[in-house]
């Protein structure tokens, strides 16, 4: 029975990793297509800022899937202190990356309100 659960967990991890990679690639492809369309109606700077926002959002969402895959792999498949510490380091690095990306595209920390949020 445990072999079946292990195979299911492995398949789930591979699926989540594939979705994460697809989301990252899809985010960049979509951002590039929108950027090419926007180049005709926006200034170069506005189109560039919009491109960065769209591509970074895809990257952040893809990283969430990859973190979920790492958590499942560490807890369900390869549970050891070394793997738990490696997972903690991966999550720390990805969390810092997401905060830095969010700060770059939004111009504010994730827990602070934007002007749009304060008006609602």
């Amino acid at each position: 029975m445990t072999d079946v659960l292990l195979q299911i967990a492995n398949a789930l991890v591979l699926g989540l990793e594939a979705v994460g990679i697809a989301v990252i690639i899809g985010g960049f492809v979509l951002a590039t297509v929108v950027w090419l369309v926007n180049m005709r109606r926006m200034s170069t700077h506005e189109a560039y800022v919009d491109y960065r926002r769209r591509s970074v959002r895809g990257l952040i969402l893809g990283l969430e899937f990859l973190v979920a895959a790492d958590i499942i792999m560490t807890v369900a498949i390869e549970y050891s202190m070394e793997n738990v510490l490696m997972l903690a380091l991966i999550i720390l690095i990805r969390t810092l990356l997401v905060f830095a990306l969010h700060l770059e595209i939004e111009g504010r920390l994730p827990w602070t309100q934007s002007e749009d949020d304060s008006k609602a």
Side-chain angles (χ1 to χ4, degrees):
M1 183 65 178
T2 58
D3 288 337
V4 173
L5 292 176
L6 189 60
Q7 289 175 348
I8 292 170
N10 276 320
L12 184 60
V13 166
L14 288 175
L16 285 171
E17 287 175 341
V19 169
I21 292 168
V23 166
I24 291 170
I25 292 170
F28 279 101
V29 169
L30 179 65
T32 302
V33 169
V34 171
W35 174 73
L36 290 171
V37 170
N38 284 345
M39 286 297 291
R40 296 182 186 149
R41 61 181 182 89
M42 290 180 153
S43 72
T44 305
H45 178 70
E46 288 173 329
Y48 170 71
V49 170
D50 185 61
Y51 177 79
R52 280 188 15 204
R53 279 196 176 124
R54 289 177 189 278
S55 60
V56 167
R57 285 182 182 141
L59 179 61
I60 290 171
L61 182 59
L63 286 174
E64 295 299 328
F65 283 100
L66 295 173
V67 167
D70 286 339
I71 290 170
I72 292 170
M73 184 170 49
T74 300
V75 173
I77 300 171
E78 299 174 1
Y79 190 76
S80 70
M81 184 54 78
E82 181 180 334
N83 288 338
V84 169
L85 293 174
M86 186 64 71
L87 174 64
L89 183 60
I90 289 169
I91 290 174
L92 177 66
I93 291 169
R94 287 185 180 163
T95 301
L96 292 174
L97 178 61
V98 167
F99 276 121
L101 292 171
H102 190 278
L103 183 60
E104 174 142 346
I105 64 169
E106 296 292 330
R108 63 182 175 83
L109 295 172
W111 53 84
T112 59
Q113 283 187 336
S114 70
E115 292 178 17
D116 296 335
D117 293 340
S118 63
K119 292 178 185 176

